[in-house]
Amino acid sequence: MERLIIKGGNQLHGEVECSGAKNAGLPILASTILFDDPVSVFNLPHLKDISTMLELLNSMGSMIRFEEDDGIEIDSSSINNPEARYELVKTMRASVLVMGPLLAKYGKAKISQPGGCNIGTRPIDFHLAGLQQMGANITTDSKFIYLETENLKATHFKFPKISVTGTENLIMASIFCDGTTTLENCAREPEVEDLINFLNSSGAKISRTDDSTVIIEGVGTLNRNNWSILPDRIEAGTYLVAGAITNGHVKVNGIQPTLLEPIIEKFKEMGAVISTGKDFVEIDATLTDLKACNISTEPFPGFPTDMQAQFMALNTISKGESTIVENVFENRFQHVVELKKMGADISLNGSSAMINGVANLVGSSVTASDLRASASLVLAGLVGKNRTEIEDIFHIDRGYECIEEKLNKLGAEIVREPIV
Ligand code: EPZ
């Protein structure tokens, strides 16, 4: 086990490179199951979740080859064991993304029950309802979900609630169905678009008739392809918050500003100076104390739930009162109790958090609980007086590539040490 030790109080200045998006890499890696030929994927972030997905594909029979310039070639044409084992699903819920492609290509899948996680029960009932409507026979026991089908059929399915991986799973399941599949109330996250663009560039026929309806015309096969994963807007947003919370000046390179629109709007509302270019976003918070902002998380193009914890940390030391409403997950305030240990003034009422800005936070020993909650604790540690120790940092390594190296390059003082 390891922990991060952060010496707070440094203003961050400089430039940081954005990595590839974890939440685009995961569905695109899962979609390689659909191909008869090897697929090369580039710009994958070096993260635990990505290695878990590669381990899962390999455990099913995919051949993984690491290429030069950081590419990975995946040949999933000879999968002989369409099963997602417990120890892999337990560590990464996104393993459920292999369900759709396995059914589409091999007609069967065995997935360990994903269970809940710290941010909510996170059922996959919409995934299963859609696959069932497409003709999958689904049975379950306490450990596994068993799915099989002679032939998935094109259908017209409406998601009861927007689901990112649900949308991705059913798009992948529909790729080879004869006829036209219509999916309504689909997610519009850029990571879903990256999967659609990748599959279309490989010969699939996927289109949107309106913002949230996706149409898939079945095709016979997909062609060999290479793809570079789009940049991670949540990582980029997190480093911009690091610049804001330390009253610093940070430029994130390798990110298109259009991916960050709702986040950029909030920074401007708070009084930060934002400049953008084709592939960078820069924040200057040196000139003023930021004013706290109200936030209500929504599916894209609304304010992303994956940035909620990070902006809560920022609001705790910004001027005035603010309210954050978490509309996507039912338990995504695990970071509140830890931020309060550092002196934050936050009160909770159901899905709302009321924050009163304080003059400063004080370093403390805190524990990470989930990926984005741990990011918010790192951000709070950057400004917490004296020293902050963060335990259970395996959560953060699932979604942030070398976070302490990137932040130390901007002037932070963070050390990773083993807990003996
Ligand atoms: C994806 O999770 C992301 N993960 C999450 O990122 C992100 O927070 C989330 O979308 C929302 O944007 C990946 O893409 C790998 P949902 P996902 O299905 O697809 C309910 C991170 O920090 N729901 O869009 O699992 C669900 O409980 C992670 O990188 C059902 O009820 O989220 C939630 O309340 C965390 N039944 C809401 O819908 C279902 O079958 C949205 O969940 C599916 C979802």
Side-chain angles (χ1 to χ4, degrees), residues 137-243:
N137 301 312
I138 301 175
T139 53
T140 59
D141 61 25
S142 58
K143 283 194 178 157
F144 284 99
I145 304 168
Y146 307 88
L147 307 99
E148 58 186 330
T149 180
E150 280 306 307
N151 201 3
L152 289 179
K153 295 183 302 301
T155 188
H156 186 141
F157 179 78
K158 180 170 184 173
F159 283 93
K161 187 175 166 189
I162 289 175
S163 165
V164 172
T165 49
T167 299
E168 292 163 344
N169 237 334
L170 294 194
I171 286 175
M172 293 190 281
S174 312
I175 289 291
F176 302 132
C177 291
D178 285 341
T180 303
T181 298
T182 303
L183 304 175
E184 283 190 67
N185 201 23
C186 291
R188 298 162 56 194
E189 272 66 6
E191 295 74 27
V192 179
E193 289 315 297
D194 206 32
L195 171 68
I196 291 174
N197 294 337
F198 164 62
L199 292 173
N200 279 342
S201 75
S202 312
K205 290 185 180 144
I206 308 165
S207 55
R208 282 190 186 267
T209 52
D210 64 37
D211 282 343
S212 59
T213 300
V214 174
I215 305 283
I216 303 102
E217 299 294 342
V219 295
T221 180
L222 295 176
N223 319 313
R224 181 177 190 130
N225 198 0
N226 300 345
W227 195 254
S228 184
I229 301 294
L230 103 162
D232 191 325
R233 61 195 169 103
I234 305 301
E235 185 203 26
T238 303
Y239 289 117
L240 291 169
V241 172

Side-chain angles (χ1 to χ4, degrees), residues 58-62 76-83 106:
N58 189 240
S59 73
M60 296 193 294
S62 297
S76 298
S77 55
S78 50
I79 280 182
N80 51 23
N81 171 30
E83 173 180 341
Y106 298 98

Side-chain angles (χ1 to χ4, degrees), residues 22-23 26 93-94 97 119 121-127 161-166 168 189 305-306 328-330 332 371-372:
K22 163 178 84 80
N23 291 350
L26 293 173
R93 302 177 41 73
L97 280 167
I119 63 176
T121 50
R122 297 184 75 181
I124 56 169
D125 51 330
F126 306 157
H127 302 233
K161 187 175 166 189
I162 289 175
S163 165
V164 172
T165 49
E168 292 163 344
E189 272 66 6
T305 174
D306 291 349
V328 177
F329 288 105
E330 70 270 26
R332 204 171 197 175
L371 170 51
R372 306 304 172 183

